Amino acid sequence: MEFNFNFREIVTASMVLFAVIDIIGSIPIIITLRKKVGHIQSGKASIVSACIMVAFLFVGEEILNLIGIDVNSFAVAGAFVIFFLAIEMILGITLYRDEQPESASIVPIAFPLIAGAGTVTTLLSLRAEYYVENIIVAIIINVIFVYLVLKSSSKIEKFLGKNGLNVIRKIFGVILLAIAVKLFTSNINQLF
């Protein structure tokens, strides 16, 4: 078994996942949940979200094959999802949001906040371009970061302030927009 670890792929995949997961931008949601229900199990939420991401990374393609969709087509669809997430982040609008959860259990934090539709779509889109082992390392890096943010969300909110969070969200929105364009152009060529 040969591994194809590539530092550049790991960094790029980590940045893409970081932007899509947008845990910094989710701090206000996390703080609201914490105020409503008290304690959030940071470790449990991080582990469950990592398991969801890794499982979808491996089984997602088989599910697509089962319903007759190839990875490149899914990557193009994922590019659209990432595009709309970026538009939300840049313009500060809400195109679609689930209802506010009533508890801060694994369901609202691990899924869909961390390992939501945008994240799993992005994982399959990344799989069309990068080696799986590099994506797994990127997932681990992001889950560690998510854990640290969940553990210290109130301190981060105080440090960055509302304006700091907005600036970070807009910067990652622009990065996501560029990633969406790249995913679209590189995969659309392979379809035709």
Side-chain angles (χ1 to χ4, degrees), residues 149-161:
V149 169
L150 287 174
K151 267 299 202 203
S152 57
S153 57
S154 39
K155 291 176 187 171
I156 293 170
E157 183 195 32
K158 288 176 188 171
F159 177 75
L160 291 177

Side-chain angles (χ1 to χ4, degrees), residues 44-57 110 114-115 123 139-140 142-144:
K44 195 172 181 183
S46 301
I47 291 169
V48 169
S49 63
C51 291
I52 291 170
M53 288 187 272
V54 171
F56 199 83
L57 183 65
I114 299 167
L123 286 170
I139 289 170
I140 293 167
N142 273 278
V143 167
I144 291 169

Side-chain angles (χ1 to χ4, degrees), residues 10-117:
I10 291 170
V11 170
T12 305
S14 295
M15 292 301 292
V16 170
L17 286 174
F18 180 77
V20 172
I21 293 170
D22 188 29
I23 195 67
I24 300 291
S26 298
I27 288 175
I29 298 167
I30 294 165
I31 288 168
T32 303
L33 286 171
R34 204 176 282 249
K35 286 177 184 171
K36 279 185 179 179
V37 297
H39 180 69
I40 293 177
Q41 296 175 328
S42 306
K44 195 172 181 183
S46 301
I47 291 169
V48 169
S49 63
C51 291
I52 291 170
M53 288 187 272
V54 171
F56 199 83
L57 183 65
F58 287 104
V59 183
E61 191 171 354
E62 283 71 32
I63 294 170
L64 291 179
N65 290 336
L66 186 67
I67 57 177
I69 299 171
D70 63 292
V71 174
N72 292 328
S73 298
F74 196 80
V76 170
F80 284 114
V81 171
I82 295 168
F83 175 83
F84 288 118
L85 283 171
I87 294 297
E88 281 186 342
M89 291 169 73
I90 293 168
L91 300 179
I93 59 173
T94 301
L95 298 173
Y96 175 77
R97 285 278 183 238
D98 288 331
E99 293 178 16
Q100 190 80 327
E102 293 180 9
S103 70
S105 65
I106 297 305
V107 173
I109 299 290
F111 182 84
L113 195 63
I114 299 167

Side-chain angles (χ1 to χ4, degrees), residues 3 14 50 54 75 86 96 110 120 123 135 144 166 169 171 174 176:
F3 291 108
S14 295
V54 171
Y96 175 77
V120 295
L123 286 170
I135 299 170
I144 291 169
N166 286 336
R169 190 171 192 135
I171 289 170
V174 172
L176 266 186

